Short mmCIF file of all heavy atoms in Angstrom, two decimals:
data_model
loop_
_atom_site.label_atom_id
_atom_site.label_comp_id
_atom_site.label_asym_id
_atom_site.label_seq_id
_atom_site.Cartn_x
_atom_site.Cartn_y
_atom_site.Cartn_z
N GLY W 131 1.84 -1.90 3.31
CA GLY W 131 1.74 -0.65 4.10
C GLY W 131 1.70 0.48 3.07
O GLY W 131 2.07 0.41 1.96
N PHE W 132 1.31 1.69 3.67
CA PHE W 132 1.16 2.81 2.63
C PHE W 132 1.24 4.16 3.41
O PHE W 132 0.94 4.14 4.56
CB PHE W 132 -0.14 2.72 1.73
CG PHE W 132 -1.25 2.04 2.61
CD1 PHE W 132 -1.94 2.79 3.51
CD2 PHE W 132 -1.58 0.64 2.39
CE1 PHE W 132 -2.98 2.19 4.34
CE2 PHE W 132 -2.56 0.13 3.14
CZ PHE W 132 -3.22 0.83 4.12
N ALA W 133 1.61 5.18 2.75
CA ALA W 133 1.50 6.47 3.31
C ALA W 133 1.54 7.51 2.19
O ALA W 133 2.19 7.35 1.20
CB ALA W 133 2.91 6.80 4.22
N ILE W 134 0.69 8.54 2.24
CA ILE W 134 0.44 9.54 1.30
C ILE W 134 0.47 10.82 1.97
O ILE W 134 -0.04 10.99 3.02
CB ILE W 134 -0.86 9.13 0.57
CG1 ILE W 134 -0.80 8.01 -0.27
CG2 ILE W 134 -1.37 10.42 -0.32
CD1 ILE W 134 -2.11 7.60 -0.89
N GLY W 135 1.08 11.87 1.31
CA GLY W 135 1.07 13.26 1.75
C GLY W 135 -0.31 13.71 2.03
O GLY W 135 -1.27 13.46 1.44
N SER W 136 -0.47 14.39 3.27
CA SER W 136 -1.83 14.70 3.80
C SER W 136 -2.58 15.56 2.85
O SER W 136 -3.89 15.47 2.81
CB SER W 136 -1.75 15.32 5.17
OG SER W 136 -0.95 16.42 5.22
N GLU W 137 -1.93 16.43 2.02
CA GLU W 137 -2.76 17.16 0.97
C GLU W 137 -3.46 16.46 0.05
O GLU W 137 -4.41 16.90 -0.66
CB GLU W 137 -1.88 18.37 0.40
CG GLU W 137 -0.82 17.82 -0.48
CD GLU W 137 0.05 18.95 -0.96
OE1 GLU W 137 0.95 19.33 -0.19
OE2 GLU W 137 -0.07 19.51 -1.99
N PHE W 138 -3.11 15.13 -0.08
CA PHE W 138 -3.72 14.23 -1.03
C PHE W 138 -4.70 13.21 -0.29
O PHE W 138 -5.26 12.36 -0.96
CB PHE W 138 -2.67 13.52 -1.84
CG PHE W 138 -1.95 14.39 -2.74
CD1 PHE W 138 -0.71 14.94 -2.35
CD2 PHE W 138 -2.35 14.70 -4.05
CE1 PHE W 138 0.05 15.88 -3.07
CE2 PHE W 138 -1.55 15.59 -4.85
CZ PHE W 138 -0.48 16.15 -4.28
N TRP W 139 -4.87 13.39 0.91
CA TRP W 139 -5.83 12.51 1.62
C TRP W 139 -7.32 12.80 1.13
O TRP W 139 -7.62 13.97 0.85
CB TRP W 139 -5.74 12.66 3.09
CG TRP W 139 -4.55 12.20 3.71
CD1 TRP W 139 -3.42 11.62 3.18
CD2 TRP W 139 -4.22 12.21 5.21
NE1 TRP W 139 -2.41 11.25 4.08
CE2 TRP W 139 -2.90 11.66 5.34
CE3 TRP W 139 -4.84 12.70 6.27
CZ2 TRP W 139 -2.27 11.54 6.65
CZ3 TRP W 139 -4.34 12.61 7.49
CH2 TRP W 139 -2.94 12.05 7.68
N GLY W 140 -8.09 11.70 1.02
CA GLY W 140 -9.47 12.00 0.74
C GLY W 140 -9.72 12.43 -0.78
O GLY W 140 -10.84 12.70 -1.06
N THR W 141 -8.61 12.14 -1.64
CA THR W 141 -8.78 12.51 -3.06
C THR W 141 -9.24 11.40 -3.89
O THR W 141 -9.42 11.59 -5.07
CB THR W 141 -7.49 13.13 -3.56
OG1 THR W 141 -6.47 12.08 -3.50
CG2 THR W 141 -7.05 14.31 -2.77
N GLY W 142 -9.12 10.07 -3.40
CA GLY W 142 -9.36 8.93 -4.12
C GLY W 142 -8.14 8.24 -4.61
O GLY W 142 -8.08 7.11 -5.19
N GLY W 143 -7.01 8.98 -4.45
CA GLY W 143 -5.69 8.40 -4.91
C GLY W 143 -5.36 7.15 -4.14
O GLY W 143 -4.83 6.20 -4.74
N PHE W 144 -5.67 7.06 -2.89
CA PHE W 144 -5.31 5.88 -2.09
C PHE W 144 -5.97 4.66 -2.74
O PHE W 144 -5.54 3.66 -2.97
CB PHE W 144 -5.74 6.06 -0.58
CG PHE W 144 -5.71 4.71 0.10
CD1 PHE W 144 -4.49 4.14 0.44
CD2 PHE W 144 -6.99 4.11 0.33
CE1 PHE W 144 -4.55 2.93 1.00
CE2 PHE W 144 -7.03 2.84 0.94
CZ PHE W 144 -5.68 2.25 1.20
N MET W 145 -7.38 4.79 -2.83
CA MET W 145 -8.21 3.67 -3.38
C MET W 145 -7.76 3.22 -4.69
O MET W 145 -7.71 1.98 -4.96
CB MET W 145 -9.67 4.07 -3.33
CG MET W 145 -10.66 3.15 -3.19
SD MET W 145 -10.45 1.98 -1.86
CE MET W 145 -11.66 0.78 -2.27
N ASP W 146 -7.46 4.24 -5.61
CA ASP W 146 -6.94 3.91 -6.92
C ASP W 146 -5.74 3.06 -6.97
O ASP W 146 -5.48 1.98 -7.50
CB ASP W 146 -6.75 5.25 -7.67
CG ASP W 146 -6.59 5.16 -9.20
OD1 ASP W 146 -7.09 4.00 -9.69
OD2 ASP W 146 -5.84 5.94 -9.77
N GLY W 147 -4.72 3.60 -6.07
CA GLY W 147 -3.43 2.91 -5.98
C GLY W 147 -3.66 1.57 -5.13
O GLY W 147 -2.87 0.62 -5.59
N ALA W 148 -4.40 1.47 -4.26
CA ALA W 148 -4.39 0.28 -3.38
C ALA W 148 -5.02 -0.85 -4.30
O ALA W 148 -4.46 -1.98 -4.17
CB ALA W 148 -5.45 0.54 -2.25
N LYS W 149 -5.98 -0.59 -5.07
CA LYS W 149 -6.52 -1.74 -6.02
C LYS W 149 -5.48 -2.15 -6.92
O LYS W 149 -5.29 -3.43 -7.11
CB LYS W 149 -7.76 -1.06 -6.86
CG LYS W 149 -8.97 -0.88 -6.04
CD LYS W 149 -10.04 -0.37 -7.02
CE LYS W 149 -11.39 -0.11 -6.31
NZ LYS W 149 -12.34 0.60 -7.06
N MET W 150 -4.60 -1.36 -7.37
CA MET W 150 -3.42 -1.79 -8.28
C MET W 150 -2.47 -2.66 -7.54
O MET W 150 -1.95 -3.60 -8.07
CB MET W 150 -2.97 -0.64 -9.01
CG MET W 150 -3.86 0.04 -10.04
SD MET W 150 -3.09 1.19 -11.09
CE MET W 150 -2.71 2.66 -9.93
N VAL W 151 -2.12 -2.09 -6.43
CA VAL W 151 -1.06 -2.85 -5.54
C VAL W 151 -1.68 -4.24 -5.18
O VAL W 151 -0.86 -5.17 -5.17
CB VAL W 151 -0.79 -1.97 -4.33
CG1 VAL W 151 0.18 -2.81 -3.46
CG2 VAL W 151 -0.01 -0.69 -4.74
#
Side-chain angles (χ1 to χ4, degrees):
F132 33 77
I134 290 176
S136 55
E137 68 189 77
F138 294 90
W139 291 2
T141 63
F144 165 75
M145 207 48 192
D146 191 30
K149 287 179 180 174
M150 294 189 285
V151 169

